[in-house]
Amino acid sequence: MIIFFSFGKKNICLINRSLSLLWALLCSLPVFSQYYNLGQDPASVHWRTIKTDNFRLIYPEAYEKKAQELTGLFEYVYIHGTKTLGHQPRFVPVVIHTSDIIPNAYSVWTPKRLELYTCTPQNTYSQNWMEQLVIHEFRHAVQMDMLNKGFTKGLTWVFGEHATAAVSGLFVPMWFMEGDAVCTETALSHSGRGRVPSFEMDLRAQVIQKGIYSYDKAVFGSYRDFIPDQYSLGYQIVSLTRKNFGYKSWISAMDVVGRKPFLINPFNVGLKKVTGMNKTELYKASLKELDSLWKEQASKTILSPCTRITRVKGNEYTRYKFPHYLNDSLWIAERTGLNDISRFVIIDKSGNEKILFTPGFFSSENFSVNSGSATSSNKPGSSAVDCFSLSESYMTWTERDADPRWQNRNYSVIKVFEYNTGKIRKLTHKSRYFAPALSPSGKTLVAVSVDLQDKASLIELDFNTGKEIRVLFESGKDFIMNPSWSPSGEWIVFMLLNQHGKQIQLINTITLERKTVLPPTFSEISNPTFAGNYILFNGSYSGIENIYALDTTGSGVFQVTSSAFGSCNGQYNHNRRKLVYSEYDANGYSLVETDFDPARWISLENIKDNSHSVYNAIVKEETGMVDSTAYSGKTYESKAYHKGSHLFNFHSWAPAYFNYLTSESNTGVSFMSQNLLSTATTIIGYEWDLADKTGKYNVSFKWEGWYPVLDVDASYGKGAGYHTEDEGTETRYTWDETRISGGFKIPLLFNHGRFYSGIQLLAHTSYLGVSNNTRTDTIGFEGNIHSLDYRIYLSNFLKQGQKDLYPGWGQVLDFNFRHSPLGDRSYGYIGSAEAILLFPGLMRHHSIRCYAGVQQKEKKDYFYADLINIPRGYHPVVNSQALSFGINYKFPFLYPDMAIGPLFYFKRFKANLFYDHFVYKEAGQSSFLNSTGVEISTDMHILRFLLPFDLGWRMGYRFEDKKAFADMLFSINLSI
């Protein structure tokens, strides 16, 4: 791994420095923007394509109608989404995925394309999901393409598309990329995250209650404190800069990056031309201005009274969401935070908690509770949470159920928890249901179903079987969200989203009559529930998210809560006339309770928005807003997209040999191809060995479009070596070498509740052919060696928290066998079995990792390298049998959040205590190797580079020769 340091602005050896910089980055970071493979759709999908002057859309054929609308939307956004960066990008491919229930999108540049996942989420804001997605992701395409100018354009002639990606990753802050895109989605639409109070809530609470963090901490994060994401931070900086200096300040910054990436910090140079500040100074100035604006807003906010239920230890960031009453003194909520994964917990009036169970990976946030009969005993010395019992009580929620093979197909299934038995059952299978709500009778439930065309339906299901009873309501244009039952079961309230914004509707479960009780609005509203004659919902009318009440008798809308930073998801207790809800501050969401007293509520007509609403300034800089009536209606020519004729898409190249499929790099030249569906990857190159003065041609191909993944590697060229004559002179000899290897693997991934498991089956073969060997003695080899490999890899892990070094629990079994039954020479065989077990340590985030491995080896003309671990501090030893064992105790011990200028930022220090044992047998003689020691390492950022480095030292002791040893540890975390 190579790190590039700039020492000055002189242009000495400018081209060589830049080429070295880019190539070092590209060789080191193959996953960061380069060669990003997001997974595959099922092989059964038939694809179609629409091509315009500016875009090519590739989509499943069943999505034809929606694809036509999307094409019009892209063309419309192409006109209006480019002004404030002063650039219109060249042709952009777009891949549409409809089988994934996780709403998302990616702008990827090697190869260049946008990838959109179409399933609308239940917590989306008051704008069409695909409109927001297209505006945001297209803006990323504009950002990346505008860098392709000046010196960067010259680099693309040498390196292809990954030159632009490398320049962006090195010099353009992620907060700008995401903040600028959020600005655009906000300014070009009636909604967008910049208009939603909860979007700025995290940062606002942090600034007011904990102060302004250092630039490095705000940008690179912390394991000690919760840090608002780069979307929120970036939006505030970018929008305020546009308000104070105009949008051309960002054009200047990006222009200098593209034209002069060889400068020490080109982004700062361009930014200073307009604002007079570099990015760090601009961050401080922006946050200082926000601090003033937000404190002014806070001074005008009159807080409503409430009683806190949950207690946070110290400053641990914890979120309690979606509370429900179990009885008058017990609540259930979903709890998560920096120190733990998501749990469902029971909480009593004194704030005592008990984990009820740990769910899997949510596919929608909401969950439903039918509390039945909940009682608590008065056992002396025990809390209510330890002495409660429930009968005929259930919970329902939805979890993501992954397809084991196809990463771009998964499901949203309904889960049920039974309180009296403690059992969890999967109610539906291979479904796309969201936001389930139990009926008061407990016999049925209602959920939102979303099909592959993103059409939503309100479905009633049988609680015992999960079968659909009837469709209550379906719509091809309006999206259905957040259903909830009335106490009588006669009505269901839900949100409806369309081009006019969000509205609240009721549907009668007997007559299926629908009526609108809150007209459409672009103000953010969500999660309606019944409370007597009222419907409670989350609303943003005051510029802060609060709970509002809609009087179903027709007397209007009222603000129920007034919180400093935000409150949401109220639940009503009829017996006590109380309201429980989640209230936010800098330490997360707490559960609070207040009186249900309509006399204290404030009418909507008297609510004033005191937020600074910076989006009003950026709207004025744009040319107009996206309106569905402006782009719909036109029909574009579509054609079948044949996968077989689109296997190759050469996007990058280099004046060096680099094969990221086989992790090889050397002098030479290489060409990289990845098709747009990410099913075929090809690397062609010529590798030149400077030391041996020999070269060979290489080709690698990987096919992931079928259930088994196929791969093949081939090379042909010269090899060279030296042998010593009797007189002591060295003689060089050469040979012709042909290598061919290939095979298949079946990688399967399953998630079941809080665990995720994997199975990988592999069969591989390799061929080595040697001819024209110029070595004349008997050692010179001509002929071929044929090797066969087999592997079975099994894994099972508990989902991991943000601060965990390893999953809390985990198991791995790995079986390998290699042999060479064919050919002129033989490696014999080697078989191995390995196991890894993970356990929780003595304290939170501590982990115990146990390893064991055994292998048997037969040596023939040659022999295989060891497959099991060698103790740290030792070199491999010749053996025929071996047994390996190791134990590690790893733990964090310091979270400094400390920066040393712009050079280093230290986030976490951690230690690992280890002991390794190895016993092996050779020629009938048994021997032992043992070592122990400690590894000290730190998670850090160097030179404000986006990806974190893991840097440290290993210090150990070898028992056999009684000597100490030391090694440097170094890696880069590519999983951010």
Side-chain angles (χ1 to χ4, degrees):
M1 213 70 72
I2 302 173
I3 305 173
F4 176 79
F5 294 88
S6 295
F7 296 97
K9 294 185 178 179
K10 294 183 179 180
N11 292 336
I12 299 174
C13 300
L14 178 61
I15 295 178
N16 288 335
R17 286 175 54 194
S18 299
L19 294 180
S20 300
L21 162 64
L22 280 167
W23 190 241
L25 177 73
L26 295 170
C27 289
S28 304
L29 306 175
V31 180
F32 177 56
S33 294
Q34 286 62 258
Y35 331 120
Y36 206 158
N37 189 325
L38 297 171
Q40 291 74 47
D41 294 76
S44 59
V45 173
H46 296 282
W47 298 87
R48 295 190 66 81
T49 183
I50 295 173
K51 186 176 181 181
T52 69
D53 291 338
N54 302 308
F55 301 95
R56 163 176 273 174
L57 270 70
I58 304 168
Y59 55 91
E61 62 178 0
Y63 200 70
E64 177 68 33
K65 182 179 179 181
K66 289 281 190 177
Q68 292 286 341
E69 296 176 5
L70 268 184
T71 305
L73 173 58
F74 267 107
E75 290 295 329
Y76 186 85
V77 173
Y78 188 89
I79 298 172
H80 296 280
T82 58
K83 176 193 171 184
T84 51
L85 279 182
H87 180 79
Q88 291 187 325
R90 288 158 296 176
F91 189 78
V92 182
V94 181
V95 184
I96 310 295
H97 305 281
T98 63
S99 298
D100 198 321
I101 56 90
I102 302 174
N104 215 332
Y106 299 89
S107 176
V108 192
W109 214 249
T110 43
K112 177 177 72 174
R113 81 267 191 198
L114 305 181
E115 301 212 28
L116 308 184
Y117 296 78
T118 62
C119 186
T120 301
Q122 286 290 299
N123 61 349
T124 191
Y125 25 93
S126 300
Q127 187 78 6
N128 177 276
W129 166 247
M130 293 308 295
E131 286 185 0
Q132 293 291 326
L133 216 58
V134 168
I135 297 170
H136 186 99
E137 297 307 322
F138 174 70
R139 185 65 165 198
H140 286 318
V142 178
Q143 296 164 348
M144 293 296 296
D145 196 75
M146 76 178 296
L147 293 175
N148 193 17
K149 63 180 66 172
F151 194 81
T152 301
K153 188 174 183 65
L155 292 176
T156 63
W157 299 339
V158 181
F159 293 105
E161 289 178 356
H162 58 204
T164 307
V167 168
S168 172
L170 277 171
F171 300 121
V172 182
M174 186 58 67
W175 58 257
F176 167 75
M177 301 291 283
E178 298 301 350
D180 175 67
V182 173
C183 275
T184 307
E185 80 180 42
T186 302
L188 293 185
S189 68
H190 296 287
S191 184
R193 279 168 282 189
R195 300 173 188 257
V196 179
S198 59
F199 178 67
E200 71 174 24
M201 175 182 66
D202 296 335
L203 186 60
R204 186 163 55 88
Q206 173 226 297
V207 169
I208 291 178
Q209 293 187 318
K210 295 191 174 184
I212 299 172
Y213 291 151
S214 70
Y215 176 83
D216 295 275
K217 184 169 181 174
V219 171
F220 300 120
S222 168
Y223 289 106
R224 184 177 66 195
D225 298 305
F226 172 76
I227 304 297
D229 62 33
Q230 299 299 293
Y231 296 81
S232 175
L233 175 67
Y235 169 74
Q236 298 296 342
I237 298 175
V238 174
S239 61
L240 277 177
T241 303
R242 284 177 57 171
K243 174 187 174 185
N244 296 331
F245 300 98
Y247 65 83
K248 291 185 179 179
S249 53
W250 300 115
I251 295 178
S252 175
M254 294 291 282
D255 184 70
V256 175
V257 172
R259 295 187 185 279
K260 300 177 181 180
F262 48 81
L263 298 177
I264 291 179
N265 198 324
F267 193 82
N268 278 349
V269 173
L271 200 56
K272 274 190 171 184
K273 285 183 177 181
V274 179
T275 68
M277 293 178 281
N278 61 30
K279 60 178 180 284
T280 305
E281 294 166 339
L282 188 65
Y283 161 78
K284 293 177 181 177
S286 298
L287 270 291
K288 185 176 180 180
E289 181 177 353
L290 287 170
D291 185 32
S292 176
L293 291 169
W294 285 335
K295 284 179 178 176
E296 180 184 0
Q297 179 185 7
S299 69
K300 299 176 181 178
T301 303
I302 301 174
L303 304 182
S304 57
C306 63
T307 302
R308 185 180 294 268
I309 299 170
T310 54
R311 298 175 297 187
V312 177
K313 298 177 182 178
N315 289 323
E316 289 186 5
Y317 184 89
T318 308
R319 293 181 301 169
Y320 295 86
K321 298 289 293 290
F322 302 102
H324 291 266
Y325 284 96
L326 292 178
N327 61 19
D328 292 346
S329 59
L330 288 175
W331 297 267
I332 185 171
E334 185 255 320
R335 187 197 71 191
T336 188
L338 290 182
N339 285 298
D340 201 6
I341 58 179
S342 294
R343 317 273 193 183
F344 284 116
V345 294
I346 302 290
I347 307 149
D348 68 15
K349 279 186 174 183
S350 299
N352 299 305
E353 297 180 23
K354 182 177 182 179
I355 296 175
L356 190 61
F357 67 94
T358 302
F361 300 88
F362 293 120
S363 57
S364 59
E365 291 185 311
N366 313 59
F367 66 93
S368 177
V369 174
N370 178 2
S371 58
S373 175
T375 58
S376 298
S377 69
N378 294 318
K379 185 178 179 181
S382 299
S383 65
V385 295
D386 294 318
C387 304
F388 79 94
S389 61
L390 296 162
S391 60
E392 301 300 322
S393 302
Y394 306 95
M395 275 181 57
T396 60
W397 70 99
T398 60
E399 290 184 8
R400 173 170 56 90
D401 202 358
D403 185 288
R405 169 62 181 89
W406 306 112
Q407 297 93 329
N408 290 334
R409 179 171 69 183
N410 48 50
Y411 306 95
S412 179
V413 299
I414 298 175
K415 292 287 191 74
V416 175
F417 175 77
E418 300 178 356
Y419 289 89
N420 56 340
T421 65
K423 293 182 179 179
I424 298 174
R425 62 186 174 99
K426 186 188 294 187
L427 184 63
T428 64
H429 302 266
K430 292 188 176 182
S431 59
R432 292 168 62 96
Y433 295 124
F434 302 89
L438 275 166
S439 67
S441 68
K443 296 180 180 179
T444 66
L445 57 92
V446 68
V448 178
S449 174
V450 183
D451 68 12
L452 296 178
Q453 289 75 46
D454 206 34
K455 184 176 72 174
S457 305
L458 193 63
I459 307 292
E460 189 174 12
L461 301 99
D462 184 276
F463 177 71
N464 292 312
T465 65
K467 293 183 179 180
E468 292 188 4
I469 298 173
R470 55 177 174 163
V471 177
L472 299 174
F473 168 55
E474 63 180 353
S475 173
K477 293 184 178 180
D478 301 333
F479 190 76
I480 303 166
M481 308 166 71
N482 314 141
S484 181
W485 294 81
S486 67
S488 67
E490 184 180 357
W491 294 93
I492 294 172
V493 62
F494 59 93
M495 310 290 305
L496 203 62
L497 171 65
N498 56 32
Q499 70 270 25
H500 303 295
K502 282 184 179 179
Q503 58 186 285
I504 297 180
Q505 286 199 350
L506 295 175
I507 186 169
N508 188 288
T509 58
I510 301 172
T511 66
L512 301 188
E513 168 199 1
R514 282 191 303 120
K515 59 181 179 180
T516 300
V517 291
L518 186 69
T521 176
F522 288 110
S523 293
E524 178 54 22
I525 56 176
S526 62
N527 293 330
T529 61
F530 284 94
N533 293 326
Y534 297 91
I535 293 173
L536 301 177
F537 63 95
N538 306 328
S540 60
Y541 300 106
S542 68
I544 297 174
E545 185 178 43
N546 275 295
I547 297 172
Y548 289 79
L550 168 69
D551 190 339
T552 57
T553 63
S555 64
V557 175
F558 303 88
Q559 182 176 339
V560 177
T561 66
S562 180
S563 299
F565 304 106
S567 57
C568 60
N569 305 326
Q571 288 289 324
Y572 174 57
N573 183 303
H574 175 75
N575 294 332
R576 297 175 57 223
R577 291 190 62 79
K578 293 282 188 178
L579 180 69
V580 66
Y581 57 95
S582 298
E583 184 173 70
Y584 191 83
D585 64 19
N587 287 324
Y589 275 107
S590 299
L591 294 194
V592 297
E593 191 179 46
T594 190
D595 293 329
F596 191 82
D597 185 4
R600 294 192 321 209
W601 300 348
I602 304 172
S603 175
L604 186 60
E605 290 77 17
N606 297 322
I607 300 300
K608 185 178 180 181
D609 185 347
N610 294 312
S611 61
H612 65 90
S613 304
V614 70
Y615 57 81
N616 289 324
I618 62 177
V619 166
K620 296 175 183 177
E621 296 179 319
E622 302 291 351
T623 58
M625 289 191 178
V626 173
D627 184 351
S628 59
T629 60
Y631 63 80
S632 59
K634 183 176 179 180
T635 300
Y636 297 85
E637 180 185 3
S638 69
K639 298 179 180 179
Y641 186 83
H642 300 290
K643 291 180 282 189
S645 59
H646 294 90
L647 292 180
F648 303 104
N649 174 36
F650 284 94
H651 56 82
S652 299
W653 44 88
Y657 178 69
F658 175 49
N659 189 329
Y660 61 90
L661 290 178
T662 59
S663 301
E664 297 174 312
S665 61
N666 208 336
T667 309
V669 63
S670 51
F671 301 86
M672 297 83 172
S673 167
Q674 180 178 309
N675 68 344
L676 293 174
L677 294 180
S678 298
T679 54
T681 304
T682 308
I683 299 176
I684 300 173
Y686 180 76
E687 180 181 2
W688 176 256
D689 192 314
L690 287 173
D692 290 338
K693 295 181 175 57
T694 57
K696 58 182 178 180
Y697 298 93
N698 298 281
V699 60
S700 296
F701 179 77
K702 186 176 184 180
W703 172 251
E704 299 177 83
W706 297 334
Y707 210 80
V709 175
L710 309 179
D711 67 272
V712 61
D713 298 282
S715 67
Y716 173 76
K718 285 282 187 181
Y722 296 86
H723 71 94
T724 304
E725 303 288 351
D726 294 337
E727 303 81 20
T729 59
E730 274 194 338
T731 303
R732 182 177 185 268
Y733 63 98
T734 62
W735 65 88
D736 293 334
E737 179 180 290
T738 300
R739 290 182 181 268
I740 302 173
S741 64
F744 74 89
K745 65 178 178 180
I746 302 177
L748 304 177
L749 183 65
F750 307 88
N751 63 276
H752 44 97
R754 63 188 186 274
F755 287 92
Y756 56 96
S757 306
I759 300 174
Q760 187 175 116
L761 308 176
L762 180 145
H764 220 260
T765 183
S766 62
Y767 166 86
L768 169 64
V770 177
S771 61
N772 299 322
N773 194 331
T774 61
R775 184 167 180 172
T776 56
D777 59 17
T778 56
I779 300 177
F781 166 67
E782 287 195 11
N784 60 77
I785 301 175
H786 192 179
S787 184
L788 298 172
D789 301 353
Y790 316 93
R791 186 185 189 190
I792 302 175
Y793 180 87
L794 310 171
S795 63
N796 182 56
F797 297 105
L798 176 70
K799 63 180 183 177
Q800 192 170 346
Q802 182 175 339
K803 295 174 72 172
D804 294 334
L805 299 174
Y806 292 122
W809 297 92
Q811 305 84 36
V812 173
L813 291 175
D814 192 2
F815 303 96
N816 283 273
F817 184 76
R818 297 177 180 176
H819 66 141
S820 52
L822 306 174
D824 302 319
R825 297 287 179 94
S826 174
Y827 276 96
Y829 72 82
I830 185 172
S832 70
E834 296 172 279
I836 297 173
L837 300 177
L838 299 176
F839 304 97
L842 299 176
M843 298 176 65
R844 186 184 289 176
H845 313 305
H846 289 211
S847 184
I848 301 171
R849 183 182 186 271
C850 299
Y851 167 85
V854 60
Q855 73 179 20
Q856 177 79 34
K857 186 188 301 184
E858 180 189 54
K859 294 177 289 185
K860 288 294 183 70
D861 304 304
Y862 311 100
F863 57 88
Y864 288 105
D866 290 326
L867 295 174
I868 63 175
N869 289 351
I870 299 293
R872 278 158 277 199
Y874 290 95
H875 296 294
V877 292
V878 177
N879 65 86
S880 56
Q881 294 179 337
L883 176 67
S884 179
F885 171 79
I887 186 168
N888 297 263
Y889 189 93
K890 194 168 187 177
F891 58 95
F893 63 88
L894 186 63
Y895 302 100
D897 292 349
M898 180 183 68
I900 301 178
L903 300 178
F904 307 106
Y905 172 62
F906 299 93
K907 294 168 64 176
R908 176 172 63 185
F909 285 89
K910 51 192 185 292
N912 181 46
L913 308 177
F914 69 87
Y915 171 74
D916 295 333
H917 173 77
F918 191 79
V919 56
Y920 64 98
K921 184 178 288 187
E922 176 61 17
Q925 183 74 30
S926 294
S927 302
F928 299 88
L929 301 175
N930 293 272
S931 68
T932 188
V934 61
E935 297 169 339
I936 305 293
S937 60
T938 178
D939 296 305
M940 63 186 298
H941 291 263
I942 299 175
L943 294 176
R944 289 182 171 156
F945 186 60
L946 174 65
L947 297 176
F949 294 80
D950 190 340
L951 184 65
W953 285 93
R954 174 190 296 137
M955 293 155 284
Y957 179 78
R958 297 192 299 260
F959 287 89
E960 274 56 50
D961 57 6
K962 297 181 174 57
K963 289 185 178 180
F965 64 92
D967 300 304
M968 185 177 180
L969 306 173
F970 179 74
S971 64
I972 296 180
N973 181 5
L974 300 174
S975 62
I976 64 169

